[in-house]
Amino acid sequence: MKKTIFSGLILVQLMFCIQATFSQSNLPNIKAKVTANKYKNWGAKPIESQDGPTDGWTRGSMCEGPQSDNVIASSTLAQQGKIKYSASYICDDNPTTAWVEGKEDYGIGEFLEFKNWTPMGNGEISMLNGYQSAKAAWENNSRVKKFKISINGKDACVLELEDVMGVQTFNLPVTALKALEDGNGIIRFTILEVYPGLKWKDTAISGVFSCGG
């Protein structure tokens, strides 16, 4: 990837998270929940069963994500050879693909936006943080530490993600969920802080979805 960190700066950059330049002090803070270890081996892609639908790779049968046509990114990293980094990849139930922001720095202020998507059940959202195709890819690229979540243009909360592979979940505030009940709302995730990658500044997200309950 193009945003290589000079080796002499790596140790310094790993000592802190990149801070957002705008205020977040008045917003409720939500911490994602994780049940897995730091690293995750996703294994081979599930094969379609003759007895029923294909098992999900990253999510269960009672889960669904936003439609790829309704996902917008503020920027996207340019294609590298045959590898693309489209925002639509967060919808494909495939941890080996990811959206990667396209700024020269860590992507502070860049965002993902979902239109006409209401999370299922009680507003629980699941996320795959970082580039989860392999341990090395995940470590070498940056991951999100904090997102600002906005609903229909209004700031709702700050989400703090763990620096782990695998699925982590959180619930939208009740007031934010009500604003999405008609199915025509817009959810925006804006990057506030990151966990710097060992090799590249590029910040990635591999998946976003919601499960019933």
Side-chain angles (χ1 to χ4, degrees), residues 19-25 108-109 148 155 190-192:
Q19 300 294 325
T21 58
F22 39 87
S23 174
Q24 48 182 288
S25 59
I108 303 302
K148 180 178 70 173
D155 296 343
T190 302
I191 300 173
L192 296 180

Side-chain angles (χ1 to χ4, degrees), residues 21-160:
T21 58
F22 39 87
S23 174
Q24 48 182 288
S25 59
N26 294 326
L27 298 177
N29 192 76
I30 297 174
K31 290 190 176 183
K33 297 173 287 185
V34 297
T35 57
N37 297 323
K38 186 175 181 69
Y39 300 109
K40 172 76 174 181
N41 182 354
W42 290 102
K45 184 176 182 178
I47 299 174
E48 185 173 356
S49 170
Q50 295 181 351
D51 300 324
T54 304
D55 291 333
W57 198 345
T58 62
R59 60 200 193 200
S61 59
M62 296 300 293
C63 303
E64 63 180 27
Q67 297 297 310
S68 59
D69 292 343
N70 292 332
V71 180
I72 297 173
S74 56
S75 69
T76 301
L77 182 64
Q79 183 172 336
Q80 312 270 314
K82 295 182 179 180
I83 302 177
K84 299 179 180 180
Y85 306 99
S86 169
S88 64
Y89 287 154
I90 66 168
C91 309
D92 65 2
D93 188 30
N94 184 345
T96 70
T97 63
W99 166 69
V100 182
E101 50 75 31
K103 288 185 70 176
E104 291 294 331
D105 56 18
Y106 289 94
I108 303 302
E110 297 305 286
F111 63 83
L112 282 170
E113 190 171 88
F114 309 113
K115 294 184 177 181
N116 305 327
W117 181 51
T118 302
M120 300 172 67
N122 57 356
E124 182 179 275
I125 296 177
S126 297
M127 186 169 289
L128 304 179
N129 193 14
Y131 205 143
Q132 297 206 14
S133 60
K135 176 182 175 182
W138 184 80
E139 290 184 323
N140 286 335
N141 292 279
S142 301
R143 290 82 58 193
V144 176
K145 181 178 182 182
K146 288 184 179 181
F147 271 126
K148 180 178 70 173
I149 299 179
S150 305
I151 308 295
N152 299 333
K154 183 178 180 180
D155 296 343
C157 61
V158 171
L159 167 66
E160 184 171 350

